[in-house]
Amino acid sequence: MEGERVLERPANQWTLTQRYTERAVEFIERSRSRPFFLYLAYSHPHTPVFASKEFWGKSPRGHYGDTVEEIDWSVRRIVETLTELKLDRNTLVVFTSDNGPWLTMRQLGGSAGMLRDGKGTTWEGGMRVPAIFWWPGRIQPQVVTGVGSTLDLTPTFASLARADLAKDRVYDSVDQSPTLLQGAPSARDVVFFYRLQDVYAVRMGPYKAHFVTESSFGEGTQRTEHDPPLLFNVDEDPSESFDISARHPDVLEKIRALVREHRATIQPVENQLNRYPPGEKRGEEGLRPWGK
């Protein structure tokens, strides 16, 4: 789609990645004389995986690897465009992902390496993703091991652009620009891991507590509540293999207090997936999901 106009149905997914990239390059070229924001969310390597003929069947990692190699080519194409237009020193490029591998798709779903489990879970394999920030002349090469979240992108971008955030809302985020530009420690020490509307796990410094664990999407519902919560030091044990809850009741109590404070700030809102399409009246049966 382009706006609300359907360009192609069904979409030719074999060429989708390259077409996204070319559109992105065209946008950068059109916007070269003014500030711009480009959000580029590739459809792949989410299943079903596709790649153009230049990449299909070329990776030793199979078809999943083919899609990753094409995205790698695409990122290079965008970075080269910024460099050729002399925009690279005035443009921040962020490369990241929304979740870990979808392990139920087996070879087509990716791999979390030594991290436990994958997409749909609050184990590290489902939540910990790469984050690469590139800004020549402003960000020095470094590896940051502190905790961060994609929630932090909004205040970080605003700070770098010297823009003010709206004052009429609460932000579950922190400005990470000092970490990027000055090598300061991460401004975030706590992360709440949700599945739908529930807090399943909490990261506090090196510690991560699991109050609830559940199997990945597509594996059926295997929900387990833990009392006391499972506790791991994910700096020392990134695979979350060794529960240390019995040795650190003090840490668990601090994390429980964080959860209580966090929940006290939450206000229930309507599930947007239950809204009626525009113009359709609400019946006595209440709200229903889209498309039903």
Side-chain angles (χ1 to χ4, degrees):
M1 296 185 68
E2 185 171 36
E4 296 183 356
R5 184 166 63 95
V6 176
L7 298 179
E8 191 175 85
R9 182 183 290 168
N12 179 359
Q13 298 197 66
W14 296 103
T15 61
L16 206 52
T17 295
Q18 289 198 11
R19 286 188 287 166
Y20 280 173
T21 302
E22 294 309 319
R23 282 298 187 95
V25 169
E26 292 170 6
F27 172 80
I28 293 170
E29 291 173 340
R30 291 197 312 270
S31 307
R32 60 191 299 180
S33 61
R34 57 185 174 86
F36 63 85
F37 176 82
L38 170 63
Y39 175 68
L40 177 56
Y42 287 105
S43 297
H44 311 307
H46 194 290
T47 55
V49 296
F50 288 85
S52 63
K53 61 182 180 180
E54 291 86 353
F55 294 92
W56 192 250
K58 303 296 176 61
S59 167
R61 180 61 176 79
H63 293 323
Y64 183 90
D66 296 339
T67 67
V68 172
E69 289 195 0
E70 185 161 33
I71 291 174
D72 182 66
W73 169 87
S74 298
V75 173
R76 177 181 176 179
R77 176 90 173 85
I78 291 168
V79 168
E80 287 179 343
T81 299
L82 292 170
T83 303
E84 291 167 1
L85 296 176
K86 295 182 170 48
L87 298 174
D88 53 316
R89 291 183 172 268
N90 198 32
T91 305
L92 170 63
V93 177
V94 182
F95 183 90
T96 189
S97 178
D98 56 348
N99 50 249
W102 198 358
L103 298 181
T104 54
M105 296 294 105
R106 301 182 183 276
Q107 293 95 329
L108 297 180
S111 169
M114 67 177 177
L115 302 180
R116 184 169 177 174
D117 222 298
K119 174 182 177 177
T121 77
T122 49
W123 297 105
E124 289 293 274
M127 293 289 182
R128 186 186 291 201
V129 296
I132 301 171
F133 292 77
W134 181 82
W135 193 355
R138 297 295 302 277
I139 297 179
Q140 299 303 313
Q142 60 178 312
V143 175
V144 176
T145 58
V147 179
S149 169
T150 49
L151 293 171
D152 301 335
L153 292 178
T154 296
T156 301
F157 291 164
S159 175
L160 293 172
R162 298 186 178 90
D164 295 325
L165 292 172
K167 307 296 185 184
D168 61 346
R169 66 204 64 186
V170 176
Y171 295 91
D172 296 318
S173 50
V174 296
D175 174 14
Q176 296 284 16
S177 59
T179 300
L180 297 176
L181 303 182
Q182 302 159 21
S186 172
R188 175 182 289 278
D189 190 53
V190 175
V191 178
F192 296 95
F193 296 84
Y194 275 80
R195 178 155 173 169
L196 299 178
Q197 72 274 15
D198 296 324
V199 175
Y200 272 37
V202 179
R203 171 82 182 261
M204 182 187 73
Y207 296 103
K208 184 177 175 186
H210 288 269
F211 293 82
V212 183
T213 54
E214 190 166 351
S215 54
S216 177
F217 297 135
E219 293 183 342
T221 301
Q222 300 175 26
R223 188 178 191 274
T224 304
E225 297 185 9
H226 302 280
D227 187 14
L230 306 176
L231 184 68
F232 303 93
N233 184 323
V234 290
D235 282 354
E236 299 176 357
D237 176 26
S239 300
E240 296 173 288
S241 299
F242 307 105
D243 178 16
I244 57 174
S245 57
R247 290 160 41 196
H248 295 282
D250 55 326
V251 173
L252 285 179
E253 185 49 44
K254 290 179 181 178
I255 293 177
R256 284 192 177 102
L258 288 174
V259 173
R260 289 193 294 268
E261 293 172 7
H262 174 68
R263 284 176 172 159
T265 68
I266 301 300
Q267 297 182 7
V269 297
E270 174 194 354
N271 184 341
Q272 296 183 23
L273 296 177
N274 290 338
R275 290 182 179 177
Y276 269 78
E280 189 170 329
K281 293 183 179 180
R282 176 174 173 173
E284 294 182 357
E285 74 280 6
L287 299 177
R288 63 171 173 76
W290 281 82
K292 293 187 178 180

